[in-house]
Amino acid sequence: MGEAVRPGRFRARRAGLVIAVVGIALIGAGCGETSMISESSSKEEALRELQSRPSFEQADRDQKAMLGEIRSVYEDLAPTVKWDRPGPRVVSGGTCLAPFRQIDGVRSYTYDAGVGEGNTPDAVWPEVKQKMLDIAAQYGYTEVNQISDEPRKRVLTVGNGIGGTLEVGEYDNTTITVSGACYLKDTKATEETTSS
């Protein structure tokens, strides 16, 4: 049996892990953008790249949906992991780097699915991992990087090729985050909302 975790220790561990994971996510926000376009690209090239992507509003819905589906996998296959809140949320907004920062209406957010007390049992981890990867692929996250795959020391990242990264970390607790790529707000949708 593992050591009992007092509530104060769980909060401290949770806070430290969330800070570490969100820090990694924020560092990544916007950094992978050069895979599609270089930092020295013109404003017109940057705008064309952003227009080829989903709108910020669509990406926001997709990233929350992806995290919700992944959370459901944990709830079905690893119900011993106890989550601190009902579902995904925006953790922070990130700054888009060059060449995107020169475009009005560009946004990048970081999301998480909550913090889970505990880890996936070893016996079901391969199934949890595969289902997560299948879900992620449906949302365009296909660049898999298994950083560590040991019990209570699992780190898995999956990129979408344009700067977005899904990260799953299991230490004493479990975290699932997405640092979003840069996306352009849908000005037509914004105008329709404000005019009605």
Side-chain angles (χ1 to χ4, degrees):
M1 294 289 289
E3 166 190 23
V5 178
R6 295 188 308 274
R9 287 185 63 195
F10 173 64
R11 279 194 293 275
R13 285 181 182 167
R14 176 178 66 189
L17 185 55
V18 168
I19 289 166
V21 171
V22 170
I24 291 166
L26 288 175
I27 288 167
C31 292
E33 302 299 342
T34 55
S35 62
M36 298 300 289
I37 192 165
S38 74
E39 290 181 15
S40 61
S41 296
S42 70
K43 185 174 182 177
E44 292 73 24
E45 289 170 319
L47 182 58
R48 275 196 302 274
E49 171 60 29
L50 289 169
Q51 289 171 335
S52 74
R53 300 177 180 188
S55 69
F56 169 77
E57 291 78 6
Q58 183 62 53
D60 179 66
R61 287 189 295 272
D62 288 349
Q63 289 170 125
K64 289 174 183 170
M66 177 174 67
L67 286 173
E69 290 178 39
I70 290 172
R71 258 283 292 269
S72 294
V73 169
Y74 272 87
E75 289 162 0
D76 291 345
L77 298 176
T80 54
V81 176
K82 302 299 181 194
W83 297 93
D84 65 342
R85 67 186 142 71
R89 67 171 179 179
V90 172
V91 178
S92 66
T95 301
C96 291
L97 303 178
F100 299 117
R101 68 174 163 222
Q102 59 188 321
I103 309 292
D104 291 334
V106 69
R107 298 286 183 272
S108 176
Y109 278 6
T110 297
Y111 306 80
D112 78 14
V115 176
E117 183 179 2
N119 301 135
T120 308
D122 296 346
V124 297
W125 169 247
E127 186 178 0
V128 168
K129 177 182 168 184
Q130 188 56 56
K131 288 191 173 198
M132 278 194 294
L133 293 176
D134 292 344
I135 291 166
Q138 292 172 15
Y139 290 93
Y141 288 76
T142 57
E143 299 176 355
V144 181
N145 181 20
Q146 181 77 59
I147 296 168
S148 175
D149 197 4
E150 302 169 27
R152 294 183 61 168
K153 192 179 174 186
R154 297 181 179 117
V155 181
L156 175 69
T157 67
V158 189
N160 69 354
I162 57 170
T165 304
L166 166 68
E167 181 168 325
V168 178
E170 291 196 0
Y171 299 95
D172 291 327
N173 303 311
T174 297
T175 59
I176 309 166
T177 62
V178 174
S179 59
C182 291
Y183 299 99
L184 195 58
K185 285 186 72 68
D186 183 349
T187 53
K188 289 179 187 170
T190 305
E191 287 166 8
E192 288 169 11
T193 305
T194 54
S195 64
S196 33

